[in-house]
Amino acid sequence: MADPKGFLKITERELPAHRPVDVRIQDWREVYEDFDRGTVTKQASRCMDCGIPFCHNGCPLGNLIPEWNSLVHGHDWAEAIERLHATNNFPEFTGRLCPAPCESACVLGIDQPAVTIKNVEVSIIDRAWEEGWVKPLPPAVRTGKTVAVVGSGPAGLAAAQQLTRAGHDVTVYERADRIGGLLRYGIPEFKMEKRHIDRRIAQMTAEGTTFRTGVDIGTDITAERLRADHDAVVLTGGATAWRDLPVPGRELAGVHQAMEYLPQANRVQFGDYDRAPLNAEGKHVIVIGGGDTGADCVGTAHRQGAASVTQLEIMPKPPATRPDSQPWPTMPMLYKVTSAHEEGGKRIYSVNTLEFLGDGEGNVRALKLVEVRRTDKGFEPVEGTEREIPADLVTLAMGFVGPQKEGMIEQLGVDLDGRGNVVRDADYRTSVEGVYCAGDMGRGQSLIVWAIAEGRSAAAGVDRFLTGAGSDLPVAIAPTARPLV
Ligand SMILES: Cc1cc2nc3c(=O)[nH]c(=O)nc-3n(C[C@H](O)[C@H](O)[C@H](O)COP(=O)(O)OP(=O)(O)OC[C@H]3O[C@@H](n4cnc5c(N)ncnc54)[C@H](O)[C@@H]3O)c2cc1C
Ligand code: SF4
């Protein structure tokens, strides 16, 4: 146990401060100040090592949280990363980007602030990289079996690393020009610097994983050819079909999908552009959608020098504290102030977009909205509340409706569920022999932690299929499992 009285001695959560807003919006680096390791150790000592650690259940990866809290408290960081890597291939991704359902399930959180689990996690892996403890782990024996992983987001990377380490010859096919999926092109640098992905790709390459970018399966290589050339296929192509907003004026220049806008800003950081062609500089920016993607648009627009940034959300403003309807240990839907929101802008809740208005030359100039009230039948407009707000750039961050069907999925003919996602059984097998599926492509739009958990679990299924025997690879989560919400 970390410290039997730790939670009595230290009752407050302490987390890294964010760099001052006026400084950080001048650059794209991560927003955090450096954090003292002594404070992390003290925070880890608050863990009560509960008899039933609900945090394990809250974390889709089943991370062994009390074990590494105890090791950090005991200054054994090298052993802590061993325990962390036992369940999570990429703690530097989750430690930065996870909404931390584990903390919502922390027993201490019932009547005190929860343990800072996510920050302990990222501190362990950051130190491990600094100390040189993270090394390639190539397999001792190769099986001669070949696996194609389609898509290089967190699900594909986790599946590929597990299967390579099990001795199979794994090739990751990615249609984009760089590896990483949404980690690379969706999530901005200020949330996670891309050097963290590059370092993992170097490790995976040294372990024997092959990466092929610029290859669209279904176009450049047919699905049939892919199956013929490999003993197994893992589909990890994500939920890339975005939700649109078919209102009058949608066709106007200046109205774009978030995933048209964000990748360009990321590409500037990689040196592909000097300046993003879709740019918020000097513009009144409207972001439609109140989730993570919307917040990423807000932070990006601030850094590009927007004249104003307004985020619209159709749902009512969530409560600041856990409501009775979402009791512990569920993950409640709460009002969140992300780093992007600290940087400015305005958030308007309970509004719907009626129309985009043009300037007569094909460009958007304003957005017409109306306040809405939620009823049993859906959202109803509130009479007399229509108004216009100026808009030079609008980004649609309203989520994704599932995987792209044309191309690979159609060619494979895998069964889809009622929501259009790829159906998997308990072993992550699709309806087509030798074809498996993990991450957003099967689960629908979700989270990085789920993608890694599913990638790891699908790898175990593939390994069993290839060897015809049991697999030593761990299963993190069943495909039907849902978070505690
Ligand atoms: C802007 C944004 C911000 C987000 N922020 C967070 C966050 O802070 N925290 C969090 O937990 N989650 C966040 N998410 C969600 C998270 O990124 C996803 O849940 C996660 O990346 C899904 O992983 P995946 O591996 O299933 O798919 P993806 O990351 O979508 O990767 C799929 C990859 O497959 C490739 N591909 C698809 N089809 C083919 C094909 N036919 N041939 C070759 N390649 C193909 C795609 O190009 C893509 O690179 C965010 C999502 C977005 C859009
Ligand atoms: S991966 Fe997410 S849920 Fe799991 S321990 Fe880390 S922060 Fe918590």
Side-chain angles (χ1 to χ4, degrees):
M1 180 172 184
D3 174 355
K5 293 192 176 163
F7 68 100
L8 296 173
K9 292 189 269 193
I10 301 165
T11 52
E12 293 300 322
R13 271 162 75 91
E14 227 181 309
L15 289 166
H18 289 178
R19 295 189 289 128
V21 168
D22 54 340
V23 173
R24 71 182 195 241
I25 61 165
Q26 306 300 323
D27 64 48
W28 293 82
R29 290 180 21 242
E30 286 174 11
V31 299
Y32 312 101
E33 300 273 16
D34 289 341
F35 199 42
D36 166 40
R37 291 221 170 99
T39 312
V40 179
T41 303
K42 282 193 197 142
Q43 287 292 313
S45 78
R46 296 183 65 234
C47 178
M48 301 191 294
D49 196 11
C50 312
I52 299 174
F54 279 78
C55 54
H56 280 196
N57 206 38
C59 173
L61 284 159
N63 273 348
L64 306 168
I65 297 160
E67 289 188 34
W68 32 265
N69 277 328
S70 174
L71 289 161
V72 165
H73 174 68
H75 303 282
D76 193 350
W77 293 66
E79 184 57 23
I81 188 57
E82 289 296 314
R83 301 310 292 145
L84 181 48
H85 269 151
T87 55
N88 187 355
N89 298 63
F90 312 120
E92 63 276 40
F93 304 163
T94 46
R96 287 179 167 76
L97 300 167
C98 187
C102 55
E103 294 183 8
S104 303
C106 171
V107 176
L108 188 56
I110 296 173
D111 61 0
Q112 268 198 35
V115 175
T116 56
I117 299 170
K118 177 174 157 180
N119 186 250
V120 176
E121 178 175 17
V122 79
S123 304
I124 296 170
I125 180 62
D126 283 357
R127 173 149 189 205
W129 278 109
E130 266 172 53
E131 301 276 358
W133 295 332
V134 186
K135 298 222 162 51
L137 299 173
V141 179
R142 296 219 162 256
T143 62
K145 303 280 185 190
T146 58
V147 184
V149 173
V150 186
S152 68
L157 293 179
Q161 187 165 59
Q162 293 293 94
L163 287 164
T164 302
R165 288 178 174 177
H168 308 301
D169 286 333
V170 179
T171 305
V172 178
Y173 294 90
E174 170 55 60
R175 66 181 169 199
D177 55 350
R178 290 184 179 88
I179 295 296
L182 288 172
L183 296 169
R184 173 78 64 184
Y185 281 120
I187 290 162
E189 284 277 306
F190 58 80
K191 266 173 55 180
M192 188 181 77
E193 291 169 11
K194 306 308 168 204
R195 63 190 171 89
H196 300 296
I197 311 173
D198 298 337
R199 209 157 47 174
R200 277 296 174 185
I201 294 166
Q203 182 203 31
M204 290 177 67
T205 305
E207 289 170 351
T209 305
T210 303
F211 291 99
R212 288 190 58 192
T213 52
V215 183
D216 188 334
I217 303 300
T219 307
D220 301 312
I221 298 177
T222 63
E224 196 184 337
R225 180 80 258 151
L226 192 77
R227 283 189 70 205
D229 288 349
H230 298 85
D231 297 309
V233 173
V234 190
L235 308 179
T236 51
T240 50
W242 49 51
R243 181 170 285 118
D244 216 314
L245 185 58
V247 298
R250 168 64 183 89
E251 72 292 349
L252 291 167
V255 182
H256 298 275
Q257 283 288 343
M259 277 306 291
E260 294 174 308
Y261 173 64
L262 293 171
Q264 292 190 4
N266 272 322
R267 282 184 181 280
V268 174
Q269 308 312 309
F270 314 149
D272 294 353
Y273 300 119
D274 291 335
R275 183 180 186 278
L278 273 181
N279 207 298
E281 189 178 356
K283 293 182 180 161
H284 295 293
V285 178
I286 309 290
V287 177
I288 303 184
D292 276 340
T293 308
D296 291 349
C297 293
V298 169
T300 300
H302 288 316
R303 280 163 183 73
Q304 290 176 336
S308 71
V309 185
T310 308
Q311 191 176 12
L312 307 181
E313 172 56 53
I314 195 166
M315 300 292 288
K317 183 176 174 181
T321 53
R322 196 189 269 283
D324 290 345
S325 58
Q326 300 175 63
W328 179 90
T330 62
M331 188 171 171
M333 300 287 285
L334 298 180
Y335 179 71
K336 270 202 305 191
V337 180
T338 68
S339 71
H341 296 119
E342 289 167 5
E343 291 158 8
K346 190 169 162 191
R347 289 199 264 180
I348 309 179
Y349 288 91
S350 300
V351 287
N352 198 6
T353 303
L354 295 175
E355 184 176 1
F356 299 112
L357 304 166
D359 63 358
E361 295 181 14
N363 306 305
V364 66
R365 71 162 176 83
L367 179 151
K368 190 194 275 187
L369 57 76
V370 66
E371 289 173 23
V372 292
R373 128 173 17 97
R374 214 170 164 188
T375 69
D376 296 345
K377 294 183 204 110
F379 293 98
E380 279 181 3
V382 180
E383 214 178 305
T385 60
E386 286 183 19
R387 65 182 193 272
E388 280 181 28
I389 50 175
D392 307 312
L393 173 66
V394 178
T395 64
L396 307 178
M398 299 159 43
F400 299 83
V401 292
Q404 179 191 313
K405 311 294 181 303
E406 61 279 11
M408 178 175 73
I409 287 192
E410 272 174 9
Q411 290 175 16
L412 283 167
V414 287
D415 286 351
L416 303 177
D417 65 18
R419 291 157 61 222
N421 300 319
V422 176
V423 174
R424 300 86 49 85
D425 69 6
D427 244 9
Y428 288 82
R429 260 183 313 223
T430 69
S431 56
V432 174
E433 171 81 2
V435 179
Y436 290 70
C437 176
D440 283 8
M441 192 162 239
R443 178 172 192 89
Q445 179 195 358
S446 184
L447 295 171
I448 289 153
V449 62
W450 283 98
I452 300 173
E454 287 211 2
R456 288 171 63 82
S457 306
V462 174
D463 192 38
R464 270 193 295 279
F465 169 70
L466 292 177
T467 58
S471 172
D472 291 338
L473 295 179
V475 175
I477 203 89
T480 47
R482 290 280 151 200
L484 291 167
V485 287

